[in-house]
Amino acid sequence: MANTKSAPNYKVIAENRRARYDYAIEDDIECGIMLHGSEVKSMRQGGANIAESYASVEDGELWLINSYIAPYLQAKTWGHEERRKRKLLVSKKELARLWSDTQRKGMTLVPLVMYFNHRGMAKLKIGIAKGKKNHDKRATEAKRDWSRQKQRLLRHGE
């Protein structure tokens, strides 16, 4: 993803902006998604949401749970379920690492961004995260407010 600006097919579909506020992201991983044709068409129109979704390792497979992809109106008979479980594609080594992080270390798999890569393939970036406590969230917010105020002061020269 080094040259995403020059790639004509690169397009962000959905972003979970609240994830970085609620969780301390320690690592992230890119994975593929198994989709139906009507889901891909709907995502190209921008009808997806991953804000309330999460990823889980179940029975040796990685799943995206509770993500929303809007129905594609032209696919009347062969449509798709909006909130079905979608299988995520990762290597066996990465799957084993994700399983150990979630089961042993108590981490959470949080979807960060869903996008089409430079080849036009639907991808999902998952963050391996630990939940923040309320005081951590307040500290993050205070730091962000101070940086905004600092920028304002530098811009106006006061």
XYZ file of all heavy atoms in Angstrom, residues 38-92:
443
model
N -23.410 -9.793 -5.183
C -24.233 -8.630 -4.858
C -23.608 -7.808 -3.733
O -23.785 -6.594 -3.668
C -25.645 -9.063 -4.466
O -25.619 -9.903 -3.338
N -22.833 -8.452 -2.849
C -22.159 -7.717 -1.782
C -21.052 -6.830 -2.355
O -20.891 -5.680 -1.937
C -21.564 -8.694 -0.773
C -22.602 -9.419 0.049
C -22.019 -10.466 0.959
O -21.031 -11.116 0.572
O -22.571 -10.642 2.054
N -20.322 -7.355 -3.329
C -19.248 -6.569 -3.956
C -19.841 -5.366 -4.681
O -19.340 -4.246 -4.560
C -18.423 -7.444 -4.917
C -17.384 -6.607 -5.641
C -17.763 -8.578 -4.174
N -20.921 -5.587 -5.416
C -21.560 -4.478 -6.137
C -22.042 -3.403 -5.171
O -21.880 -2.205 -5.422
C -22.756 -5.006 -6.950
C -22.379 -5.964 -8.048
C -22.345 -5.246 -9.332
C -22.205 -6.243 -10.467
N -22.211 -5.577 -11.729
N -22.635 -3.828 -4.053
C -23.119 -2.873 -3.059
C -21.961 -2.116 -2.415
O -22.057 -0.914 -2.165
C -23.913 -3.609 -1.991
O -24.353 -2.725 -1.010
N -20.843 -2.818 -2.170
C -19.682 -2.152 -1.579
C -19.078 -1.141 -2.542
O -18.576 -0.102 -2.123
C -18.636 -3.188 -1.173
C -19.000 -3.943 0.088
S -18.019 -5.402 0.432
C -16.381 -4.782 0.406
N -19.116 -1.421 -3.828
C -18.611 -0.451 -4.811
C -19.437 0.825 -4.801
O -18.944 1.898 -5.127
C -18.603 -1.054 -6.208
C -17.571 -2.150 -6.347
C -16.915 -2.121 -7.694
N -15.987 -3.229 -7.832
C -14.699 -3.175 -7.506
N -14.193 -2.070 -7.023
N -13.921 -4.221 -7.658
N -20.723 0.714 -4.420
C -21.567 1.908 -4.285
C -21.391 2.584 -2.936
O -21.986 3.621 -2.679
C -23.030 1.521 -4.472
C -23.373 1.088 -5.864
C -24.824 0.689 -6.008
O -25.512 0.423 -5.023
N -25.301 0.654 -7.239
N -20.596 1.984 -2.051
C -20.323 2.601 -0.753
C -21.287 2.214 0.338
O -21.374 2.907 1.352
N -21.999 1.120 0.213
C -22.998 0.735 1.204
C -22.495 -0.295 2.188
O -22.953 -1.429 2.180
N -21.544 0.060 3.048
C -21.028 -0.870 4.040
C -20.729 -0.140 5.344
O -20.453 1.057 5.346
C -19.761 -1.555 3.537
N -20.804 -0.886 6.457
C -20.524 -0.319 7.765
C -19.866 -1.397 8.630
O -20.382 -2.515 8.725
C -21.818 0.168 8.422
C -21.570 0.907 9.702
O -20.434 1.093 10.126
N -22.648 1.337 10.338
N -18.738 -1.085 9.248
C -18.051 -2.030 10.127
C -17.923 -1.481 11.539
O -17.135 -1.976 12.334
C -16.660 -2.408 9.568
C -15.801 -1.168 9.363
C -16.779 -3.228 8.316
C -14.353 -1.473 9.041
N -18.717 -0.468 11.880
C -18.579 0.194 13.177
C -18.911 -0.733 14.343
O -18.230 -0.715 15.352
C -19.450 1.436 13.226
N -19.955 -1.552 14.247
C -20.353 -2.412 15.360
C -19.840 -3.833 15.194
O -20.261 -4.731 15.910
C -21.882 -2.475 15.476
C -22.558 -1.146 15.676
C -23.049 -0.549 14.363
O -23.406 -1.316 13.466
O -23.049 0.678 14.263
N -18.944 -4.079 14.265
C -18.529 -5.447 13.979
C -17.245 -5.815 14.715
O -16.543 -4.960 15.242
C -18.351 -5.639 12.480
O -17.336 -4.817 12.006
N -16.970 -7.114 14.738
C -15.738 -7.626 15.331
C -15.356 -8.901 14.604
O -16.155 -9.476 13.861
C -15.914 -7.889 16.832
C -16.961 -8.924 17.169
C -16.593 -10.243 17.414
C -18.306 -8.591 17.248
C -17.547 -11.200 17.713
C -19.259 -9.532 17.546
C -18.883 -10.846 17.785
O -19.822 -11.784 18.068
N -14.126 -9.344 14.802
C -13.643 -10.577 14.182
C -13.422 -11.614 15.274
O -13.127 -11.275 16.423
C -12.351 -10.325 13.421
N -13.577 -12.887 14.899
C -13.459 -13.957 15.868
C -12.890 -15.201 15.203
O -13.199 -15.484 14.044
C -14.835 -14.248 16.462
O -14.788 -15.362 17.311
N -12.064 -15.943 15.946
C -11.537 -17.217 15.463
C -12.440 -18.314 16.006
O -12.537 -18.498 17.221
C -10.083 -17.435 15.925
C -9.562 -18.772 15.433
C -9.197 -16.311 15.450
N -13.133 -19.021 15.102
C -14.045 -20.096 15.490
C -13.776 -21.317 14.624
O -13.772 -21.212 13.400
C -15.506 -19.658 15.303
C -15.898 -18.479 16.159
C -17.280 -17.950 15.821
O -17.965 -18.562 14.968
O -17.674 -16.933 16.396
N -13.560 -22.458 15.261
C -13.339 -23.739 14.578
C -12.197 -23.665 13.565
O -12.308 -24.190 12.459
C -14.622 -24.222 13.882
C -15.759 -24.420 14.872
O -15.473 -24.816 16.021
O -16.925 -24.192 14.510
N -11.131 -22.973 13.911
C -9.978 -22.899 13.028
C -10.160 -21.995 11.830
O -9.403 -22.082 10.864
N -11.158 -21.107 11.861
C -11.396 -20.151 10.779
C -11.633 -18.775 11.376
O -12.091 -18.642 12.500
C -12.616 -20.565 9.946
C -12.429 -21.871 9.214
C -13.691 -22.285 8.460
O -14.800 -21.927 8.901
O -13.544 -22.963 7.446
N -11.325 -17.752 10.605
C -11.497 -16.367 11.047
C -12.769 -15.811 10.427
O -12.974 -15.918 9.208
C -10.280 -15.535 10.626
C -10.215 -14.094 11.093
C -10.181 -14.015 12.613
C -8.992 -13.414 10.520
N -13.642 -15.228 11.248
C -14.939 -14.720 10.789
C -15.111 -13.256 11.147
O -14.681 -12.818 12.216
C -16.075 -15.514 11.435
C -16.098 -16.948 11.037
C -15.483 -17.982 11.687
C -16.744 -17.505 9.899
N -15.718 -19.143 11.011
C -16.500 -18.890 9.915
C -17.519 -16.973 8.873
C -16.990 -19.742 8.940
C -18.018 -17.823 7.911
C -17.754 -19.190 7.949
N -15.769 -12.530 10.261
C -16.184 -11.150 10.525
C -17.653 -11.202 10.903
O -18.487 -11.662 10.112
C -15.983 -10.269 9.286
C -16.400 -8.813 9.419
C -15.544 -8.102 10.468
C -16.289 -8.102 8.095
N -17.980 -10.741 12.102
C -19.325 -10.879 12.636
C -19.965 -9.509 12.793
O -19.323 -8.561 13.238
C -19.277 -11.626 13.986
C -18.665 -13.008 13.763
C -20.658 -11.750 14.610
C -18.275 -13.729 14.994
N -21.228 -9.421 12.412
C -22.077 -8.240 12.580
C -21.673 -7.050 11.708
O -21.947 -5.911 12.044
C -22.128 -7.821 14.063
C -23.324 -6.960 14.370
O -24.360 -7.075 13.718
N -23.203 -6.100 15.346
N -21.034 -7.289 10.597
C -20.757 -6.194 9.667
C -21.980 -6.016 8.766
O -22.705 -6.972 8.504
C -19.528 -6.490 8.825
O -19.756 -7.608 8.013
N -22.188 -4.810 8.299
C -23.372 -4.511 7.492
C -22.953 -4.160 6.077
O -22.098 -3.297 5.873
C -24.138 -3.336 8.100
C -25.313 -2.886 7.261
C -26.499 -3.591 7.270
C -25.219 -1.767 6.452
C -27.569 -3.191 6.497
C -26.280 -1.350 5.672
C -27.451 -2.071 5.706
O -28.509 -1.674 4.932
N -23.553 -4.847 5.109
C -23.416 -4.489 3.700
C -24.825 -4.311 3.162
O -25.648 -5.234 3.229
C -22.642 -5.555 2.897
C -21.219 -5.666 3.429
C -22.628 -5.197 1.422
C -20.375 -6.704 2.750
N -25.120 -3.123 2.665
C -26.467 -2.776 2.211
C -26.913 -3.697 1.084
O -26.096 -4.181 0.303
C -26.491 -1.324 1.742
N -28.217 -3.967 0.980
C -28.700 -4.809 -0.119
C -28.506 -4.116 -1.465
O -28.635 -2.894 -1.566
C -30.178 -5.017 0.193
C -30.531 -3.982 1.182
C -29.287 -3.561 1.883
N -28.191 -4.910 -2.471
C -28.015 -4.393 -3.825
C -29.350 -4.535 -4.531
O -29.847 -5.649 -4.737
C -26.906 -5.173 -4.536
C -26.547 -4.633 -5.889
C -26.021 -3.355 -6.032
C -26.729 -5.394 -7.028
C -25.673 -2.853 -7.262
C -26.386 -4.903 -8.275
C -25.863 -3.636 -8.387
O -25.519 -3.148 -9.615
N -29.973 -3.424 -4.878
C -31.352 -3.435 -5.364
C -31.524 -4.167 -6.686
O -32.577 -4.761 -6.937
C -31.872 -1.997 -5.490
C -31.905 -1.212 -4.172
C -32.349 0.215 -4.410
C -32.814 -1.904 -3.173
N -30.518 -4.162 -7.561
C -30.648 -4.832 -8.846
C -30.601 -6.354 -8.710
O -31.036 -7.061 -9.607
C -29.558 -4.366 -9.822
C -29.774 -2.980 -10.381
C -29.345 -1.865 -9.436
O -28.903 -2.119 -8.326
N -29.490 -0.626 -9.867
N -30.064 -6.869 -7.603
C -30.001 -8.321 -7.386
C -31.212 -8.737 -6.560
O -31.111 -9.063 -5.387
C -28.712 -8.690 -6.683
N -32.371 -8.732 -7.193
C -33.609 -9.007 -6.465
C -33.661 -10.450 -5.961
O -33.801 -10.705 -4.780
C -34.802 -8.719 -7.362
C -34.950 -7.256 -7.707
C -36.117 -7.064 -8.654
C -36.397 -5.627 -8.952
N -35.436 -4.916 -9.693
N -33.534 -11.409 -6.837
C -33.679 -12.812 -6.461
C -32.429 -13.344 -5.790
O -32.515 -14.105 -4.831
C -33.974 -13.655 -7.720
O -35.027 -13.033 -8.432
C -34.382 -15.056 -7.332
N -31.258 -12.962 -6.280
C -29.999 -13.489 -5.760
C -29.292 -12.465 -4.882
O -28.102 -12.250 -5.021
C -29.099 -13.916 -6.919
C -29.669 -15.065 -7.659
C -29.596 -16.367 -7.309
C -30.418 -15.008 -8.874
N -30.261 -17.146 -8.219
C -30.780 -16.331 -9.205
C -30.841 -13.987 -9.725
C -31.514 -16.658 -10.321
C -31.572 -14.309 -10.831
C -31.907 -15.630 -11.120
N -30.005 -11.883 -3.962
C -29.425 -10.899 -3.055
C -28.615 -11.575 -1.959
O -28.254 -12.742 -2.052
N -28.351 -10.846 -0.899
C -27.561 -11.383 0.210
C -28.154 -10.914 1.532
O -28.916 -9.953 1.579
C -26.102 -10.920 0.104
C -25.935 -9.436 0.187
N -26.024 -8.610 -0.904
C -25.697 -8.627 1.243
C -25.836 -7.361 -0.529
N -25.643 -7.339 0.771
N -27.785 -11.598 2.608
C -28.163 -11.161 3.946
C -27.273 -9.986 4.335
O -26.063 -10.022 4.101
C -27.920 -12.275 4.967
C -29.061 -13.233 5.127
C -28.751 -14.225 6.230
O -28.560 -13.785 7.389
O -28.679 -15.404 5.917
N -27.854 -8.959 4.946
C -27.073 -7.766 5.270
C -26.043 -8.024 6.369
O -24.938 -7.542 6.312
C -27.987 -6.606 5.706
C -28.774 -5.993 4.570
C -30.154 -6.624 4.447
O -30.545 -7.408 5.338
O -30.825 -6.341 3.443
N -26.410 -8.774 7.405
C -25.528 -8.948 8.562
C -25.088 -10.399 8.763
O -25.019 -10.868 9.883
C -26.225 -8.460 9.831
C -26.407 -6.970 9.847
C -26.554 -6.459 11.259
N -26.721 -5.017 11.255
C -25.734 -4.165 11.409
N -24.521 -4.584 11.569
N -25.963 -2.875 11.407
N -24.747 -11.084 7.699
C -24.305 -12.479 7.841
C -22.845 -12.534 8.276
O -22.099 -11.556 8.149
C -24.509 -13.242 6.537
C -23.540 -12.862 5.441
C -23.743 -13.712 4.208
N -22.784 -13.356 3.178
C -21.587 -13.911 3.049
N -21.215 -14.859 3.880
N -20.761 -13.535 2.091
N -22.430 -13.708 8.797
C -21.017 -13.918 9.124
C -20.248 -14.075 7.823
O -20.662 -14.828 6.949
C -20.856 -15.201 9.949
C -21.206 -15.050 11.400
C -21.195 -16.360 12.167
C -19.951 -17.157 12.020
N -19.919 -18.346 12.917
N -19.137 -13.367 7.703
C -18.317 -13.448 6.494
C -16.951 -14.012 6.851
O -16.330 -13.579 7.821
C -18.176 -12.067 5.870
C -19.501 -11.571 5.331
C -19.469 -10.134 4.915
N -20.738 -9.754 4.359
C -21.760 -9.294 5.073
N -21.659 -9.174 6.369
N -22.889 -8.968 4.478
N -16.511 -14.976 6.057
C -15.233 -15.618 6.318
C -14.096 -14.706 5.874
O -14.155 -14.122 4.799
C -15.151 -16.956 5.588
C -13.944 -17.764 5.946
C -14.005 -19.132 5.297
C -12.776 -19.921 5.626
N -12.788 -21.235 5.001
N -13.076 -14.602 6.709
C -11.897 -13.808 6.397
C -10.752 -14.749 6.039
O -10.614 -15.821 6.626
C -11.513 -12.938 7.592
C -12.577 -11.927 8.024
C -12.121 -11.196 9.265
C -12.887 -10.962 6.911
N -9.943 -14.343 5.084
C -8.887 -15.189 4.550
C -7.519 -14.725 5.050
O -7.094 -13.607 4.747
C -8.922 -15.154 3.017
C -10.278 -15.488 2.402
C -10.260 -15.214 0.913
C -10.661 -16.910 2.687
N -6.879 -15.578 5.836
C -5.528 -15.323 6.320
C -4.734 -16.625 6.228
O -5.314 -17.701 6.079
C -5.503 -14.813 7.782
C -6.096 -13.433 7.899
C -6.198 -15.771 8.708
N -3.423 -16.527 6.336
C -2.591 -17.726 6.294
C -2.731 -18.491 7.618
O -3.160 -17.933 8.636
C -1.136 -17.358 6.051
O -0.619 -16.689 7.168
N -2.339 -19.756 7.609
C -2.437 -20.592 8.816
C -1.571 -20.035 9.941
O -1.947 -20.080 11.109
C -2.028 -22.026 8.507
C -3.054 -22.787 7.732
C -2.629 -24.229 7.561
C -3.681 -24.982 6.771
N -3.313 -26.395 6.593
